[in-house]
């Protein structure tokens, strides 16, 4: 199946932090793929901006190398790469000073979409917004894109929102959560709201529980200093897992438009119940016994022997509304786990009575939505085990792995960043977080973090390459449930 590519309007995209890790690893290789696909028009211009002095040629060389290193592994078409690099230029600019702003103004064209990607530390967001305005670089149609972390608590998120709102309308602000750009996440909405099949069952009468797991195999790597001030709750749960939970739990919006969708997500966040202390398990990974030198324990990796920051968290929460009041939501995320896997599982209730007798076993339908790797949706259904051995039941998956179902074109995943950048240019905010959503998410998160800080809780150690601390398994077992296996 060949997907249609509709080119976006010509644009000027300024990437503040255009020499940084995110720009080189994700944003520019993603733009190059959109260029090759014909979605980024040749008239578009990308302007890298950072403090380091360099000319256009040096910047193009830097980005050419980044595309070779961080591209999708396929052979790079050198003619297309040269043409793409021609669309790039560079301006040395200081977000906190006056250097470079006039030069940047000289690069910008009239009558094209203007977008400004703030791929810099959040402490610079306010400075950038203020200077963009002071130098007359924005108009009513200009957009800014801001990266996570959007605050570290409610107070700082509010401050950031205010700093941006001083110069931009909410409709101009695109807060990225790249999880929302994943193909399967959008498919989740198509599956829920494009089919009649699931909606009648999508409630606590039929759903036993929902579990969301985002497991990583990597440790904190070179981000130790940042991560130790953040932890899994702030870095993953408050944004990515919360967004997934919203899409699973929200009511059908009246239209697939940005505010209708975000209004429904906001209602879910506001209906989340506070989490009880005994419904939270926090962990810190231990050194890899086979390779303690290069894969050290969490505290060594962050160079903080007394750290109480969690690299793993599992928790149980409820949504206080008619649809979900009796259905627990279990969330789990961690680093250095046994496999890299992001999966949402909707576990339906047992059949109320087995006509096949107890020996045939009780079976549950599970709808699992896999975000990475191997994006796809699987529904396990119960059938008779083939053969003459009587009525024995087994669970088999109805599998919609996109790579299989849609052929090579479906398998060619568009990276979340490239999809979201194209949405910015199109002016579609559906997959971006609104300011009130972010604040509501922090309002739920803050008391949980304050609770364990005040109690002086210490995270439990867990083995590298495991599913997290045993206490996380106990959290489910106490409810006669089990986590789904973390598999690659
Ligand atoms: N890397 C990721 O995978 C990732 C993922 C999610 C979110 N993020 C977020 O994305 C943002 C960028 O992350 P990153 O990893 O790319 O950081 P980074 O590698 O440290 O890059 C920072 C960039 O900002 C520029 N910069 C710093 N101070 C500046 C100033 N005063 N004026 C203008 N430019 C300045 C730097 O260049 P100069 O020093 O030359 O100015 C560099 O280009 C951060 O908010 C981060 O939290 C990153």
């Amino acid at each position: 199946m060949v997907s249609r590519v509709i080119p976006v309007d010509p644009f000027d995209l300024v990437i503040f932090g255009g020499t940084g890790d995110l720009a080189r690893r994700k944003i520019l290789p993603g733009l190059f793929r959109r260029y090759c696909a014909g979605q980024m028009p040749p008239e578009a211009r990308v302007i890298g901006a950072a403090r380091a002095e360099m000319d256009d040629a040096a910047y193009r060389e830097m980005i050419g190398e980044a595309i070779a290193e961080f591209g999708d592994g396929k052979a790079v078409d050198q003619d297309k790469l040269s043409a793409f690099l021609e669309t790039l230029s560079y301006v040395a600019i200081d977000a906190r000073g006056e250097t470079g702003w006039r030069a940047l103004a000289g690069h910008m064209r009239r009558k094209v979409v203007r977008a400004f990607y703030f791929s810099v530390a959040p402490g610079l967001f306010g400075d950038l917004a203020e200077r963009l305005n002071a130098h007359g670089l924005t108009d009513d149609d200009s957009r800014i894109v801001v990266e996570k972390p959007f605050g570290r608590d409610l107070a700082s998120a509010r401050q950031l929102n205010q700093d941006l709102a001083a110069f931009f309308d909410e409709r101009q602000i695109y807060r990225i959560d790249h999880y929302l750009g994943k193909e399967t996440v959008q498919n989740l909405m198509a599956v829920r709201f494009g089919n009649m099949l699931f909606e009648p069952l999508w409630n606590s009468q039929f759903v036993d529980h929902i579990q969301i797991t985002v497991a990583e195999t990597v440790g904190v790597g070179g981000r130790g200093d940042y991560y130790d001030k953040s932890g899994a709750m702030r870095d993953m749960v408050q944004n990515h897992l919360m967004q997934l939970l919203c899409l699973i739990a929200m009511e059908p919006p009246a239209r697939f438009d940005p505010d209708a969708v975000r209004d429904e997500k906001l209602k879910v966040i506001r209906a989340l119940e506070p989490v009880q202390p005994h419904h939270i398990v926090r962990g810190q990974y231990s050194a890899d016994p086979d390779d303690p030198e290069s894969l050290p324990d969490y505290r060594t990796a962050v160079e903080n022997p007394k750290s109480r920051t969690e690299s793993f968290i599992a928790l149980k929460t409820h949504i206080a509304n008619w649809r979900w009041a009796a259905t627990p939501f279990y969330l789990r995320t961690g680093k250095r786990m046994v496999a890299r896997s992001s999966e949402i599982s909707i576990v339906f209730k047992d059949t109320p009575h087995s006509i096949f007798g107890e020996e045939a076993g009780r079976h549950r339908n599970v709808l699992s939505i896999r975000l990475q790797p191997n994006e796809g949706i699987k529904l396990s259904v119960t059938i008779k085990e083939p053969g003459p051995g009587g009525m024995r039941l087994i669970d088999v998956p109805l599998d919609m792995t996109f790579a299989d179902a849609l052929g090579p074109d479906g398998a060619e995943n568009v990276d979340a960043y490239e999809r979201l950048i194209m949405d910015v240019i199109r002016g579609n905010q559906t997959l971006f977080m609104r300011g009130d959503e972010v604040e509501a998410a922090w309002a739920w998160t803050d008391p949980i973090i304050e609770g364990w800080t005040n109690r002086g809780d210490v995270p439990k150690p867990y083995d590298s390459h495991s599913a997290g601390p045993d206490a996380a398994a106990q959290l489910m077992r106490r409810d006669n449930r089990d986590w789904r296996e973390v598999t690659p």
Side-chain angles (χ1 to χ4, degrees):
M1 191 158 40
V2 178
S3 60
R4 270 183 313 144
V5 172
I6 302 170
V8 296
D9 291 337
F11 60 84
D12 282 351
L13 171 66
V14 179
I15 307 175
F16 293 109
T19 56
D21 178 69
L22 184 68
R24 285 182 295 110
R25 231 162 25 85
K26 290 285 180 188
I27 302 172
L28 284 146
L31 280 167
F32 176 54
R33 279 194 293 274
R34 292 299 88 208
Y35 184 86
C36 293
Q39 198 164 20
M40 170 177 160
E43 313 83 61
R45 294 285 171 269
V46 180
I47 302 146
R51 288 170 305 177
E53 290 290 342
M54 72 176 89
D55 59 15
D56 291 348
Y59 187 60
R60 288 172 183 160
E61 192 182 329
M62 171 193 265
I63 300 308
E65 284 167 9
I67 288 170
E69 189 176 351
F70 302 116
D72 51 19
K74 294 184 187 154
V76 174
D77 179 329
Q78 291 303 325
D79 290 342
K80 284 199 173 136
L81 180 60
S82 305
F84 173 73
L85 294 177
E86 282 297 307
T87 71
L88 307 188
S89 56
Y90 181 82
V91 176
I93 214 162
D94 185 353
R96 293 216 160 112
E98 293 315 311
T99 330
W101 291 94
R102 195 171 292 171
L104 179 59
H107 275 69
M108 312 279 317
R109 297 170 295 170
R110 304 235 160 260
K111 297 194 178 143
V112 294
V113 174
R114 285 184 178 190
F116 301 90
Y117 200 128
F118 292 8
S119 182
V120 293
L124 297 175
F125 290 177
D127 299 292
L128 286 175
E130 189 182 336
R131 281 179 176 70
L132 282 173
N133 180 64
H135 291 273
L137 287 165
T138 58
D139 55 33
D140 267 5
D141 195 38
S142 302
R143 294 122 213 217
I144 57 169
V145 184
V146 294
E147 265 297 338
K148 85 163 198 185
F150 201 84
R152 56 172 282 109
D153 53 22
L154 178 57
S156 53
R158 266 197 192 133
Q159 186 60 54
L160 271 182
N161 275 336
Q162 281 168 15
D163 291 348
L164 299 180
F167 304 104
F168 294 94
D169 281 350
E170 184 60 38
R171 64 176 170 79
Q172 298 179 284
I173 304 171
Y174 290 71
R175 295 175 193 78
I176 282 218
D177 184 326
H178 70 273
Y179 266 61
L180 293 181
K182 290 181 182 290
E183 181 73 22
T184 330
V185 171
Q186 291 170 68
N187 225 320
L188 177 57
M189 283 190 272
V191 166
R192 278 200 64 192
F193 304 129
N195 295 287
M196 195 56 210
L197 196 61
F198 297 112
E199 178 55 26
L201 307 177
W202 211 261
N203 56 55
S204 58
Q205 201 186 337
F206 295 99
V207 176
D208 177 74
H209 73 277
I210 289 171
Q211 34 181 294
I212 303 177
T213 294
V214 177
E216 298 178 284
T217 47
V218 292
V220 294
R223 295 168 70 221
D225 190 36
Y226 157 78
Y227 193 89
D228 201 42
K229 294 188 187 92
S230 167
M233 186 74 181
R234 288 191 172 97
D235 192 48
M236 298 296 290
V237 177
Q238 185 274 344
N239 38 62
H240 304 319
L241 276 80
M242 181 88 89
Q243 289 293 321
L244 300 179
L245 181 148
C246 285
L247 295 176
I248 289 285
M250 71 183 185
E251 294 301 314
R255 292 170 307 283
F256 187 59
D257 85 17
D259 277 326
V261 171
R262 296 184 301 176
D263 285 346
E264 294 305 336
K265 288 191 336 199
L266 179 62
K267 285 184 207 161
V268 173
I269 301 175
R270 289 191 173 150
L272 277 172
E273 292 198 336
V275 178
Q276 305 295 321
H278 60 287
H279 291 160
I280 304 171
V281 175
R282 296 194 309 135
Q284 273 180 351
Y285 60 78
S286 308
D288 185 329
D290 298 327
D291 193 3
E293 289 291 306
S294 58
L295 299 174
D297 66 288
Y298 175 82
R299 290 180 174 185
T300 307
V302 300
E303 296 175 8
N304 180 2
K306 293 190 175 153
S307 171
R308 291 186 172 182
T309 304
E310 74 286 354
S311 61
F312 172 98
I313 187 164
L315 61 86
K316 172 165 100 162
T317 185
H318 280 93
I319 298 172
N321 64 17
W322 274 43
R323 187 188 284 265
W324 294 119
T327 301
F329 284 71
Y330 298 91
L331 313 183
R332 167 177 68 159
T333 182
K335 291 198 172 289
R336 196 72 76 64
M337 290 179 67
V338 60
R340 175 174 171 259
S341 159
S342 299
E343 196 175 79
I344 304 166
S345 297
I346 293 87
V347 181
F348 290 90
K349 290 190 172 171
D350 289 350
T351 48
H353 162 73
S354 173
I355 65 165
F356 307 108
E358 286 309 315
E359 63 281 8
R362 287 295 182 88
H363 294 262
R364 289 176 160 191
N365 299 119
V366 179
L367 180 70
S368 50
I369 297 138
R370 201 168 165 89
L371 309 181
Q372 62 190 23
N374 311 322
E375 296 193 40
I377 296 179
K378 253 188 218 173
L379 176 66
S380 77
V381 291
T382 303
I383 61 163
K384 177 188 169 299
E385 192 178 317
M391 185 56 96
R392 284 197 298 269
L393 304 183
I394 54 166
D395 295 329
V396 293
L398 290 180
D399 192 339
M400 275 193 289
T401 304
F402 300 146
D404 300 339
L406 304 178
D409 203 52
E412 192 211 333
N413 281 329
V414 178
D415 182 78
Y417 275 97
E418 47 194 286
R419 182 194 312 278
L420 292 172
I421 296 170
M422 292 298 105
D423 277 358
V424 173
I425 306 301
R426 284 194 206 96
N428 185 346
Q429 287 184 305
T430 311
L431 299 175
F432 296 83
M433 294 180 293
R434 210 168 52 191
D436 52 2
E437 254 185 278
V438 178
E439 289 186 16
W442 281 119
W444 178 76
T445 311
D446 277 3
I448 300 174
I449 297 176
E450 270 162 35
W452 73 56
T453 309
N454 294 342
R455 290 191 301 274
D457 286 357
V458 180
K460 298 181 167 48
Y462 62 94
D463 292 342
S464 280
H465 317 306
S466 73
D470 291 343
Q474 293 302 331
L475 175 74
M476 287 285 255
R477 264 184 224 131
R478 281 202 303 265
D479 297 343
N480 284 324
R481 299 182 174 107
D482 285 304
W483 291 105
R484 297 193 25 105
E485 201 180 333
V486 180
T487 52

